[in-house]
Amino acid sequence: MSNKIQSLSGYIHEYQKSVNEPEKFWARIADSFHWQKPWDNVLSWNNEGPHVKWFENAKLNITENIFERHLFTHGDKAAIIWEPNDPNLANKIISYRELFELTCQFSNAMLAQGVKKGDRVIIYMPMIPEAAVAMLACARIGAVHSVVFAGFSSSALADRIIDCEAKMVLTSDGNFRGSKNIPVKAVVDEALEKTSTVEKVIVCKRTNAEVTMASGRDIWWHDAIREESKINTAESLDAEDLLFILYTSGSTGKPKGVVHTTGGYMVYTQYSFENVFQYEQNDVYWCTADIGWITGHSYIIYGPLLSGATTLMFEGVPTYPHPGRFWEVVDKYEVNQFYTAPTAIRALQAQGLGPVAPYKLDSLKVIGSVGEPINEEAWHWYHDHIGKGNCPLVDTWWQTETGGIMISPLAGITPNKPAHASLPLPGIQPIIVDAEGNELKGNNVEGNLCIKFPWPSMLRTTYGDHKRFKETYFSAYPGMYFTGDGAKRDHDGYIRILGRVDDVINVSGHRMGTAEVENAINEHPRVIESAVVGFPHDIKGQGIYAYVICDEDGISNEILIDEIKNTVRKIIGPIAKPDEIQIVPGLPKTRSGKIMRRILRKVASKDISNLGDTSTLLNPEIVEQIIAGAQIK
Ligand code: WT7
């Protein structure tokens, strides 16, 4: 089965078909999968609800499309190549047949522990093959997985468990990450003190750290599978049954559970994977994301495995034990497609060419970027020194909510243009609108990016709160999905993503809501009010800058700032820790009490040349005080 586009004219042709007759187009793509029962309708869509259903009433199991469908042709082919954190320890190469058996066995273990179709299962695990097995086993039995990045704090984990009323948690004793050894099980124990729905915890042994096992609740992974058979019949799911929930930050409140369903997600992740990366059957593909993010879901696990690809899973970090580790791994496995984030590229670029020089990198055919806008300097460094000037670079724009890559060059097909996500994939109808929602047609336009027609892997709702879904994505411009990003279509019709236009900041490719960080800061007993903004950061893309009003009790600012940083680390996790905290006497507010963030962003960026109109401020004098405190030269 292949729906692979072969040429630029082929792309244009497919794109036109996908817009003119979307249902016919997607029915043809979906035909190459194994459905237990065919659909009645390809798409039913009402933009009032809004409600969307793809492949209505079809029955399937996504793992049958990964395993049973591929076993005859490539049972012995490597499904996962696993490279451990420590390069001196043994790697693992797991064939499709072996991965199938592990998945079936763990499916049986979860069933034996009382998990049923529809139950929610939290996965809080390191990048080890068992994490992939955990996701696939959930999908096999129809349990809804929610992977939580294992760097999140116990309270962030507890919030997610509570929101989805999880019945089971899958975790490990500890995690290896670079030189660190993180006691993960203890984090789970702490989280579970605040929750009441979890009945069982299955713990995979990874670091041999000492852990406490709660009797009746906690069970070792190896004990759970010991007596279980390696044969399991896949549960039959409706195309619109939930496949997973993934929590992500927005501009307001707590992270929301983005809901993805089975049929459409399957079709789109496979289709986009094979087309964007132009994967060929004997290639080795490597995406460096963590399975805690959507990139790990769609382009380490589902997209590649549905395509019968060999996907590399890396437990470690780019700089351990040395800053050439990525390139060493590329050479070791002769990686053909390499997909990473701009922040990693900038961090490695900062090390100079020394760490790159010892490696050949001649297996690479395609290199990719995801997670944030890639600046031109990083684009050229990546293209010239890693791609050696002869690998197409795919700058892939998409979101947790979109499920799959939406705007990207197709490798080797779409002419490359630095820092441009370029053109939409077939089936995707992006438009640029002005503030009033008028479509800006033609080239040389700039505005907000919306998608005007549903696509198979779009989110269906936010878990437990359909109203929030409607308000967040469909109320800015009624009837259209609003992405939260600004974009520009240039004179060639190529799209360039300009970054978020809402109160979301992108720190090293991780999405943070400013309100969420403020709420965490405000938990510190000495904090009265705070305002968080992003500022340009050489490596992270954006850094977190917090303006904080504190009470007056003497204690040095330095100690206080450290304490506030630690509060955020405890409440959300290390990724949300502010880079800069400035204690201020007040915040610039309008007469209606709104914080004028525009000014705060300018000061944080050390750009005070043109602060704009401050005459509507209730307290204009505060601006001078803040500037003085920011010590801008
Ligand atoms: C936001 C989504 C889905 C990938 C991982 C991040 C930004 C993502 C690009 C890109 C410019 C990008 C956007 C988007 N973003 N890829 N190639 N160029 N910006 O997923 O955490 O849901 O964040 O990441 O601002 O809205 P996410």
Side-chain angles (χ1 to χ4, degrees), residues 157-168:
L157 175 60
D159 287 346
R160 287 154 174 78
I161 293 172
I162 292 167
D163 189 76
C164 73
E165 300 174 286
K167 191 169 183 181
M168 179 177 268

Side-chain angles (χ1 to χ4, degrees), residues 248 293-295 339 369-374 395-402 407 421 483-485 497-500 506 509-511:
T248 192
W293 315 115
I294 191 70
T295 310
Y339 189 31
S369 168
V370 60
E372 52 179 313
I374 179 166
D395 176 5
T396 64
W397 174 85
W398 57 298
Q399 311 177 296
T400 305
E401 292 87 343
T402 68
I407 304 179
T483 63
D485 281 308
I497 305 295
L498 302 171
R500 302 290 303 200
N506 193 323
H510 302 317
R511 189 162 146 183

